[in-house]
Amino acid sequence: MQHGFQRASLAPSGFAVDAVQVLADRVQILLRSRRSWGDCPACGGRSRRVQSRYRRRPADLPLGGRRVELSILTRRFWCDGVLCGRRIFCERFDDSVLGRYSRRTQRLETIVHHLGLALGGRPAASFADRLMIPVSKDTLLRVVRRRVTDHDDTLTVVGIDDFAFRRGQTYGTLVCDLERRRPVVLLPDRALNTSRAWLAEHPSISVVARDRGGGYGEAIARGLPNAQQVADRWHLMENSSRAFLDAVGKSMRQIRQAVGSNIVDPKLLTYAERLQYEGYLRRQETSEAIKELSKKGTSIRQIVRQTGHSRKVVRDVLRGQRFDVFRTRPSSLDSWLPWLNTRLDEGVRNALALWREMQAQGFPGQSGVVSQWAQRRRLAEKANQSGLARTPSARVIARLLTTARDDLAKSEAILVAAIEVNVPELVVARTVIGDFQSMIRSKTATKLDDWLQAAKLSLVSSFANGVGKDLAAVRNAIVSPWSNGQTEGQITRLKLVKRQMYGRAKLDLLQARLIGAP
């Protein structure tokens, strides 16, 4: 039969093609070695005396939509070495073409390996079957484990962070080479001694980037006392923003007094808001009881036992973090409020008609949002009030206070101005946080010590105390080019690998798929 290809192109390196048989379900290629001798694996002697022959049938890359099976005529040789203990040996081929005992050629093994790395077990097996490479999911994972590549590069700059085997229960540790931008090792836990022991085995490391958790900082200090620690810049920015949000939460009582909404009229509330307000009143009773016990010198542990509330609730009350009446979120209606007020003044009272006009102009929300706003306006007018005096949530206020004044609506600018005049402590906290974030963006730490002294006297003193305890790492984070972002990205990749395997991957398989890729 005629074939549209050259026989030589079908043979791996070092083989000659004797025949090609195209069967219904596969293509069988008969091969033989081009060499007329064999090398004894025991003594290395060369022999040409053939004792017998047999056929090896490894799989190869598919051809024409069919599986390919190689039928290789393999010889057994007599060993002529006088001192060799082996009398007969089997012919061996180049390991880069066909390994000993292998049932697949190396070029097919490479494809199987990359499928296992990319997709895992069951998905890779299904895809391999479509590619005419029948291989089981267990074989795919065995190949991935077997072909782990060890990286023995000298480490100088690394990042370290934890990841969850099972969220809230068991954790591991990932170490990343920041210079080469690849993971180095997975440790079975995040215990201090485990990280310290691994770091101590790599004295060439001079810089370690980490998050702001205290455990890894102590492990680095013990394992590599001369290494520079670099805190993660993203966490510093996020923690500073969170500190300002907490400061706003502590000041909510003063903010309500400043904007004239310290007293809420239940008649002007919708049903959902009324439920929140009733919950707020119950929380107020709880808060007053906890504060009374605290004034008497009762410890937090005793307050927890006497009131039955959790330690977190008691701590939040004593820190002044449970003052929000309404747990509101930014609404899609906020940017439309000036237009709605104008249309209402023009005499349009039908909420559904207003919603249809807004929808024609591109409003993405539902009609219920507009109906609820119209109901609140009617209740306010019925009570002879210009509107419901309601304070936004702490998160919304924090966003407004940190937004440029030119980007605020008129009502938002008035709200911010009232807060700035009546709660000057928040203005100081905003300035302190802004100065800290400016130092990170400009990568200059010359004013860090002065900033620390000012911050300890503000509403964000807790954040400042944390920075003071980790001052060297924070300073390095500001001025150093290294950061832990690459490590965070590798952890995101690890999470993807875990989800592909439905969270059942053991440490060795995770390490093989994440780190063992060549």
Side-chain angles (χ1 to χ4, degrees), residues 5 11-12 16 39 79 217 289 321 340 372 389 424 453 462 473 495 506:
F5 46 79
D39 295 326
C79 181
Q321 296 178 352
L340 282 170
Q372 189 179 41
Q453 296 299 323
S462 178
K495 291 177 181 177
K506 293 184 179 180

Side-chain angles (χ1 to χ4, degrees), residues 237-252:
M237 296 289 283
E238 196 275 338
N239 291 343
S240 61
S241 299
R242 171 61 64 177
F244 181 66
L245 177 60
D246 292 342
V248 174
K250 295 176 183 178
S251 307
M252 286 303 295

Side-chain angles (χ1 to χ4, degrees), residues 273-481:
E273 291 170 343
R274 191 177 298 114
L275 292 178
Q276 292 187 36
Y277 181 63
E278 292 171 356
Y280 165 74
L281 295 179
R282 290 193 297 270
R283 292 197 302 275
Q284 283 294 90
E285 295 177 1
T286 300
S287 301
E288 293 299 329
I290 291 174
K291 289 179 180 179
E292 287 297 325
L293 290 174
S294 178
K295 290 178 181 178
K296 296 177 182 179
T298 309
S299 65
I300 292 180
R301 179 177 296 180
Q302 292 296 328
I303 294 175
V304 169
R305 291 177 178 176
Q306 292 182 27
T307 61
H309 296 292
S310 68
R311 187 180 184 88
K312 180 180 183 303
V313 169
V314 175
R315 187 182 290 123
D316 287 347
V317 170
L318 297 180
R319 290 178 178 177
Q321 296 178 352
R322 275 170 56 91
F323 288 130
D324 275 354
V325 179
F326 301 108
R327 296 181 295 277
T328 56
R329 297 179 179 178
S331 172
S332 59
L333 201 64
D334 292 345
S335 59
W336 292 83
L337 291 179
W339 182 88
L340 282 170
N341 289 326
T342 302
R343 294 294 290 152
L344 205 67
D345 294 338
E346 293 174 355
V348 181
R349 296 284 175 171
N350 190 304
L352 192 58
L354 288 170
W355 174 72
R356 286 170 180 163
E357 290 184 35
M358 295 166 62
Q359 193 179 38
Q361 299 180 32
F363 176 65
Q366 301 297 320
S367 59
V369 180
V370 183
S371 299
Q372 189 179 41
W373 173 84
Q375 178 188 6
R376 188 182 296 116
R377 280 298 301 265
R378 286 194 296 270
L379 290 172
E381 292 174 356
K382 187 176 180 180
N384 296 322
Q385 296 185 18
S386 58
L388 174 62
R390 174 176 171 179
T391 307
S393 66
R395 187 176 297 275
V396 173
I397 292 176
R399 176 179 59 83
L400 295 178
L401 287 171
T402 53
T403 302
R405 189 65 60 91
D406 295 339
D407 297 332
L408 296 176
K410 182 178 179 180
S411 58
E412 294 173 340
I414 294 173
L415 174 66
V416 169
I419 294 173
E420 291 176 344
V421 171
N422 294 278
V423 193
E425 298 86 357
L426 271 184
V427 179
V428 175
R430 180 183 62 183
T431 303
V432 167
I433 295 300
D435 291 343
F436 181 77
Q437 294 182 350
S438 296
M439 284 190 289
I440 295 178
R441 294 190 182 99
S442 61
K443 296 184 178 180
T444 56
T446 55
K447 300 180 180 179
L448 183 58
D449 294 330
D450 295 336
W451 174 89
L452 198 59
Q453 296 299 323
K456 288 182 178 180
L457 302 176
S458 67
L459 291 176
V460 294
S461 57
S462 178
F463 172 70
N465 291 332
V467 171
K469 293 177 182 178
D470 203 17
L471 186 60
V474 172
R475 192 185 303 275
N476 290 333
I478 295 174
V479 300
S480 172

